[in-house]
Amino acid sequence: MKLLLVIVLLFPCLLPAQTRNASDIYGEGVRAFYAGDYQTALQKYSEALVLKPNIIGYLYSRGLTYQKLYKDSLAGIDFLAVTKLDPKYPDAWYGLGMVQMDQKKYDGAQDFFSHALLITPGDVRILHQLGLISYYKHKYFDAIDFFTRIIVV
C-alpha cells in the first residue's frame, strides 16, 4: 500500500484521467505546447476537455494546437465553439481569421478579423492581418491605412 502511495505521489500522470484534475491535465498540455510537443499538448487538452467540455481556455488552446499541426478544419471547429460560448472572445475570432488566411480565403478572413477588431479596436495583430489581406487583394490604399494605424497605436 505504501509503495502504491509513493508511485502515485511521484508519478501522478499514471493515474486515470477521471481521478486527476482537469486543470492539472491542461497544465501538462501547456508545458508540452511550449516545449514544441504539439501531439502531447493536443492529447492533454483533449483529456481536459473530456472532464470540463465548456472551458474556453481549453478549447482555445486545443484550437491553437490544431493550427500548429496544420489541421485547420479542426482548429476552426474549436475556435467556432469558443465564439459560441463567448461571442466577445477576440482571440477566437482572430484564430478563425488565421485559419482562413492559411487557406487563402481572404474574404472570410477579413470578416473574422473585422469582427475581432470591433471587440478590441487598435489590436496590432488584427490590423496587421487586415493590412496583409488588403495588400493581397490589391487594395493598396486600404493596406497603407491599416499599416499606418499600427504605427499610430
Side-chain angles (χ1 to χ4, degrees), residues 67 70-73 75-76 79 92-114 116 124-138 143 146-147:
Q67 262 190 316
Y70 303 102
K71 296 181 179 184
D72 286 335
S73 60
F79 293 143
W93 293 105
Y94 181 83
L96 286 166
M98 290 305 295
V99 166
Q100 296 289 298
M101 288 290 283
D102 290 344
Q103 298 172 355
K104 303 205 182 328
K105 296 179 180 176
Y106 300 125
D107 290 334
Q110 186 173 13
D111 291 342
F112 289 128
F113 289 134
S114 295
V124 173
R125 302 171 308 150
I126 299 167
L127 291 169
H128 180 256
Q129 293 302 324
L130 287 168
L132 288 175
I133 290 169
S134 297
Y135 178 80
Y136 295 151
K137 293 169 78 173
H138 305 287
F146 284 117
F147 292 135

Side-chain angles (χ1 to χ4, degrees), residues 6-135:
V6 169
I7 290 173
V8 168
L9 290 174
L10 292 176
F11 302 102
C13 61
L14 297 177
L15 288 173
Q18 301 90 319
T19 62
R20 296 176 56 217
N21 185 319
S23 64
D24 291 340
I25 296 169
Y26 174 76
E28 293 172 17
V30 170
R31 286 188 291 280
F33 183 90
Y34 285 109
D37 184 359
Y38 302 123
Q39 287 294 344
T40 299
L42 180 61
Q43 176 189 353
K44 296 300 178 182
Y45 294 148
S46 296
E47 285 177 34
L49 280 163
V50 167
L51 298 173
K52 299 274 187 173
N54 292 326
I55 302 294
I56 290 171
Y58 298 1
L59 277 167
Y60 178 73
S61 295
R62 189 173 69 176
L64 285 178
T65 305
Y66 277 132
Q67 262 190 316
K68 290 286 190 181
L69 294 170
Y70 303 102
K71 296 181 179 184
D72 286 335
S73 60
L74 294 172
I77 290 169
D78 279 353
F79 293 143
L80 192 58
V82 170
T83 66
K84 299 295 182 204
L85 292 170
D86 183 358
K88 293 189 175 190
Y89 196 83
D91 290 338
W93 293 105
Y94 181 83
L96 286 166
M98 290 305 295
V99 166
Q100 296 289 298
M101 288 290 283
D102 290 344
Q103 298 172 355
K104 303 205 182 328
K105 296 179 180 176
Y106 300 125
D107 290 334
Q110 186 173 13
D111 291 342
F112 289 128
F113 289 134
S114 295
H115 189 88
L117 195 62
L118 290 174
I119 300 167
T120 55
D123 186 316
V124 173
R125 302 171 308 150
I126 299 167
L127 291 169
H128 180 256
Q129 293 302 324
L130 287 168
L132 288 175
I133 290 169
S134 297
Y135 178 80

